[in-house]
Amino acid sequence: MARQLRSCYFVLGLTAVLAMQAIDCVGQSVYPSGWKTNWEKRSVDLAEIVSGGVPKDGIPPIDRPGFVSSAEASSWLAAREPVILLSLSDDARAYPLQIMTYHEIVNDVVDGKPVVVTFCPLCYSAIAYSREVDGRLLDFGVSGMLRHSDLIMYDRQTESLWQQIGGEAIVGDLTGTSLEPVPAQIVSFEQFTARFPTGKVLSRDTGHRRDYGTNPYSGYDDIDDRPFLYRGDFDDRLPPMEKVVGVTIGKEHVAYPHSVTRDQRVINDEFGGIPLLVMHVDGAVTALGDRVIREAEIIGTTGVFDRRVGDRTLTFAASEEAVRDRETGSTWDATGRATDGPLTGAALRPVRHANYFSFAWFAFRPDSGVYGHD
């Protein structure tokens, strides 16, 4: 796999290597050149930060995203392909993973709110955050560095380093500051268009030449593999490359293994004082399986929602055809919207969650529970 990932960087046209050695043999700090970062202010050991094999913005973020209609995108985006869904008020957008894999970061404004949409292929983590911090607007780039195999972002205003998982500044003047998460979900393109027929889709016209639609990390989505450039311990409750649905409520964390969610399809749970619906239904293919994304294995679509609608707490069940609540018999889609029955048009509130390879989730949430294991 390491050979495949080195090949991936060649495919991306990223051949430069960032010399990043945090601590030398006498404990003297050695910082990479070309950075304005305040390396003395930090919350992590610099020895945990390694080069991912690319320089600053060697993986280019998208700073001026363009969008097209779903009808136009359907000429190059297959129905089963995964997209990151982000919806604020009436502004719904899809960020295809076939594009995000080559860029990892999109600086955008959705319904007037500045956001950063991120995807780390090495962790399979798709997470969005607000770009406003204490009244200051930030925009983000790809540092070329990794910590626990996860993308490290940097803001261009202070060149502080930010961990993608968790959204916390770990090195630089803004160390200790956290970005506000914005609900995002990986769904299939077909599921996005069904939910938001007038929604916008990130355009392939990015200003960069990339082989969109192909997967430069071919074969990485293998439960028997080992993560790239990961130096930490593994949690023995799950295989390192098994995907989990990671849920955070306040300071509490829990992981729902895909092996369980895929089998049960619907889990009615209670966590952090909130009645949860954890859903895993038919949907998207993996972005990291076959060389051609549209031909990859179907892994489905997950979602986590608050089960309360008004003053009523619903319980859900899944059949071969649909997900329905037992109280009214209404049918619900993968985005948490009722599509048929007495509650048609109602929408469940999304709960902060994302999909991760388990090694990455446990690296940053070592105190996490595991559904079905505790």
Side-chain angles (χ1 to χ4, degrees), residues 83-86 126 183-187 279 301-305 334-336 350 353 355:
V83 303
I84 301 171
L85 161 62
L86 194 156
Q185 179 186 11
I186 297 178
V187 301
M279 183 187 299
T301 295
T302 65
V304 182
F305 307 95
T335 69
H353 75 283
N355 292 288

Short mmCIF file of all heavy atoms in Angstrom, two decimals, residues 83-86 126 183-187 279 301-305 334-336 350 353 355:
data_model
loop_
_atom_site.label_atom_id
_atom_site.label_comp_id
_atom_site.label_asym_id
_atom_site.label_seq_id
_atom_site.Cartn_x
_atom_site.Cartn_y
_atom_site.Cartn_z
N VAL A 83 -20.76 12.11 -2.50
CA VAL A 83 -20.59 13.57 -2.42
C VAL A 83 -20.76 13.98 -0.96
O VAL A 83 -21.43 13.31 -0.18
CB VAL A 83 -21.61 14.33 -3.31
CG1 VAL A 83 -21.51 13.88 -4.76
CG2 VAL A 83 -23.04 14.15 -2.80
N ILE A 84 -20.12 15.09 -0.61
CA ILE A 84 -20.34 15.67 0.72
C ILE A 84 -21.52 16.63 0.60
O ILE A 84 -21.49 17.59 -0.18
CB ILE A 84 -19.10 16.43 1.22
CG1 ILE A 84 -17.89 15.49 1.28
CG2 ILE A 84 -19.36 17.03 2.60
CD1 ILE A 84 -16.58 16.21 1.57
N LEU A 85 -22.56 16.36 1.37
CA LEU A 85 -23.75 17.21 1.39
C LEU A 85 -23.61 18.23 2.50
O LEU A 85 -23.36 17.89 3.66
CB LEU A 85 -24.99 16.35 1.64
CG LEU A 85 -26.26 17.05 2.13
CD1 LEU A 85 -26.74 18.07 1.10
CD2 LEU A 85 -27.35 16.04 2.43
N LEU A 86 -23.78 19.51 2.14
CA LEU A 86 -23.81 20.59 3.11
C LEU A 86 -24.98 21.48 2.75
O LEU A 86 -25.07 21.98 1.62
CB LEU A 86 -22.50 21.37 3.11
CG LEU A 86 -22.25 22.32 4.30
CD1 LEU A 86 -20.75 22.56 4.49
CD2 LEU A 86 -22.95 23.66 4.11
N ALA A 126 -14.85 13.32 6.18
CA ALA A 126 -15.40 14.48 5.50
C ALA A 126 -16.03 15.37 6.55
O ALA A 126 -17.03 15.01 7.18
CB ALA A 126 -16.44 14.06 4.47
N PRO A 183 -22.78 20.91 10.07
CA PRO A 183 -23.23 19.56 9.70
C PRO A 183 -22.95 19.24 8.24
O PRO A 183 -23.27 20.02 7.33
CB PRO A 183 -24.74 19.62 9.98
CG PRO A 183 -24.90 20.69 11.01
CD PRO A 183 -23.85 21.72 10.68
N ALA A 184 -22.35 18.08 8.00
CA ALA A 184 -22.06 17.59 6.66
C ALA A 184 -22.24 16.09 6.66
O ALA A 184 -22.09 15.44 7.70
CB ALA A 184 -20.65 17.98 6.23
N GLN A 185 -22.53 15.53 5.52
CA GLN A 185 -22.83 14.10 5.42
C GLN A 185 -22.40 13.59 4.05
O GLN A 185 -22.62 14.26 3.04
CB GLN A 185 -24.33 13.88 5.62
CG GLN A 185 -24.81 12.44 5.53
CD GLN A 185 -26.34 12.33 5.58
OE1 GLN A 185 -27.05 13.34 5.48
NE2 GLN A 185 -26.85 11.13 5.74
N ILE A 186 -21.79 12.41 3.99
CA ILE A 186 -21.50 11.77 2.71
C ILE A 186 -22.74 11.01 2.27
O ILE A 186 -23.23 10.13 2.98
CB ILE A 186 -20.30 10.82 2.80
CG1 ILE A 186 -19.02 11.59 3.16
CG2 ILE A 186 -20.11 10.08 1.47
CD1 ILE A 186 -17.80 10.70 3.30
N VAL A 187 -23.25 11.36 1.10
CA VAL A 187 -24.40 10.66 0.50
C VAL A 187 -24.04 10.37 -0.96
O VAL A 187 -23.02 10.84 -1.47
CB VAL A 187 -25.69 11.51 0.58
CG1 VAL A 187 -26.03 11.85 2.02
CG2 VAL A 187 -25.55 12.80 -0.24
N MET A 279 -28.39 5.65 11.05
CA MET A 279 -28.92 5.02 9.86
C MET A 279 -27.78 4.60 8.94
O MET A 279 -26.79 5.29 8.78
CB MET A 279 -29.84 6.03 9.14
CG MET A 279 -30.53 5.53 7.90
SD MET A 279 -31.41 6.88 7.03
CE MET A 279 -32.58 7.43 8.25
N THR A 301 -24.81 4.56 2.69
CA THR A 301 -24.84 5.92 3.21
C THR A 301 -25.24 5.88 4.68
O THR A 301 -26.20 5.21 5.04
CB THR A 301 -25.85 6.77 2.42
OG1 THR A 301 -25.40 6.89 1.07
CG2 THR A 301 -25.99 8.16 3.03
N THR A 302 -24.50 6.61 5.50
CA THR A 302 -24.81 6.68 6.92
C THR A 302 -25.30 8.08 7.29
O THR A 302 -24.97 9.07 6.62
CB THR A 302 -23.59 6.34 7.79
OG1 THR A 302 -22.57 7.32 7.59
CG2 THR A 302 -23.04 4.96 7.45
N GLY A 303 -26.05 8.15 8.36
CA GLY A 303 -26.51 9.43 8.88
C GLY A 303 -26.87 9.28 10.34
O GLY A 303 -27.26 8.19 10.79
N VAL A 304 -26.73 10.36 11.10
CA VAL A 304 -27.08 10.36 12.52
C VAL A 304 -27.97 11.57 12.78
O VAL A 304 -27.62 12.70 12.42
CB VAL A 304 -25.83 10.42 13.42
CG1 VAL A 304 -26.24 10.36 14.89
CG2 VAL A 304 -24.88 9.27 13.08
N PHE A 305 -29.11 11.30 13.44
CA PHE A 305 -30.11 12.35 13.62
C PHE A 305 -30.73 12.25 15.02
O PHE A 305 -30.74 11.19 15.64
CB PHE A 305 -31.22 12.22 12.57
CG PHE A 305 -30.73 12.17 11.15
CD1 PHE A 305 -30.51 10.94 10.52
CD2 PHE A 305 -30.45 13.33 10.47
CE1 PHE A 305 -30.03 10.89 9.22
CE2 PHE A 305 -29.97 13.29 9.16
CZ PHE A 305 -29.76 12.06 8.53
N ALA A 334 -32.26 9.03 3.48
CA ALA A 334 -30.94 9.00 4.10
C ALA A 334 -30.51 10.34 4.65
O ALA A 334 -29.58 10.42 5.47
CB ALA A 334 -29.90 8.51 3.09
N THR A 335 -31.18 11.42 4.24
CA THR A 335 -30.83 12.76 4.74
C THR A 335 -31.68 13.16 5.94
O THR A 335 -31.58 14.29 6.41
CB THR A 335 -30.98 13.82 3.63
OG1 THR A 335 -32.37 14.00 3.32
CG2 THR A 335 -30.21 13.41 2.38
N GLY A 336 -32.55 12.23 6.42
CA GLY A 336 -33.37 12.53 7.59
C GLY A 336 -34.64 13.28 7.28
O GLY A 336 -35.23 13.91 8.17
N PRO A 350 -29.82 16.95 12.17
CA PRO A 350 -28.59 16.16 12.11
C PRO A 350 -27.76 16.34 13.38
O PRO A 350 -27.72 17.42 13.96
CB PRO A 350 -27.86 16.70 10.89
CG PRO A 350 -28.41 18.07 10.68
CD PRO A 350 -29.83 18.04 11.17
N HIS A 353 -21.48 14.20 13.34
CA HIS A 353 -20.91 12.88 13.11
C HIS A 353 -20.11 12.91 11.81
O HIS A 353 -20.20 13.85 11.02
CB HIS A 353 -22.01 11.82 13.00
CG HIS A 353 -22.75 11.87 11.69
ND1 HIS A 353 -23.71 12.82 11.41
CD2 HIS A 353 -22.64 11.11 10.57
CE1 HIS A 353 -24.17 12.64 10.19
NE2 HIS A 353 -23.54 11.61 9.65
N ASN A 355 -17.85 9.77 9.06
CA ASN A 355 -17.27 8.44 8.90
C ASN A 355 -15.76 8.54 9.02
O ASN A 355 -15.16 9.52 8.57
CB ASN A 355 -17.65 7.85 7.54
CG ASN A 355 -19.12 7.54 7.44
OD1 ASN A 355 -19.61 6.59 8.06
ND2 ASN A 355 -19.86 8.34 6.68
#
